[in-house]
Amino acid sequence: MDLLRSENGLVYLENKKYLSKVADQIEWDFDMCGLVFERGNKPPESYHELFELLYPTISKLISSGDSQFSNLLYRIDVSEKKIHQRMLLRHEDKLDEVVSKMIIERCLQKVLTKEKYR
């Protein structure tokens, strides 16, 4: 499911409350893998700002070839197969951009699922 391509996903990511929860979820998943997600002192104001916070870290992890990157994908539940499928289907060629977007989408799904079952 691609929440960012749906109207509902965009609505949630325009809401600062959900943006903050997604950033918290990303930070928690990073922490569980022994990684640091530098997000600053204030919550993100927009999806683009959250993406810009996440992108450099993902780019660095990918280029380093660190095994922590695979652990992070597993922890967040973003499969390498889905990453490759998305790159082929949408003709996106920047791995770090695709992975960053997919992490945000998956963390939004986690936030919404937690909220639904509370």
Side-chain angles (χ1 to χ4, degrees):
M1 176 179 194
D2 184 354
L3 281 173
L4 296 184
R5 294 256 181 203
S6 72
E7 207 169 289
N8 288 342
L10 289 174
V11 169
Y12 287 114
L13 287 174
E14 290 173 359
N15 182 316
K16 291 180 186 177
K17 174 184 127 184
Y18 287 103
L19 274 171
S20 181
K21 287 183 177 189
V22 170
D24 290 344
Q25 181 66 50
I26 292 170
E27 186 174 23
W28 189 80
D29 285 330
F30 267 67
D31 189 48
M32 294 303 291
C33 292
L35 297 168
V36 177
F37 172 54
E38 298 288 338
R39 63 184 262 194
N41 296 331
K42 62 181 184 111
E45 298 286 322
S46 66
Y47 165 78
H48 180 72
E49 190 176 317
L50 179 59
F51 177 83
E52 291 298 320
L53 289 170
L54 181 60
Y55 176 77
T57 305
I58 295 302
S59 185
K60 197 180 300 180
L61 280 170
I62 290 171
S63 64
S64 73
D66 195 336
S67 65
Q68 287 181 310
F69 175 65
S70 294
N71 292 340
L72 179 67
L73 291 179
Y74 180 77
R75 171 85 197 158
I76 294 175
D77 191 26
V78 174
S79 76
E80 292 181 31
K81 181 180 178 182
K82 287 183 182 179
I83 293 169
H84 293 293
Q85 286 175 342
R86 182 164 170 166
M87 290 178 73
L88 289 172
L89 290 173
R90 296 198 190 153
H91 306 289
E92 296 181 63
D93 59 350
K94 292 195 171 194
L95 179 62
D96 43 6
E97 287 181 12
V98 171
V99 171
S100 297
K101 290 175 186 176
M102 290 181 77
I103 286 173
I104 292 170
E105 291 168 22
R106 180 63 184 119
C107 287
L108 174 59
Q109 287 176 333
K110 287 180 175 185
V111 165
L112 294 175
T113 301
K114 287 176 186 177
E115 194 169 272
K116 181 178 180 180
Y117 292 104
R118 276 198 179 142

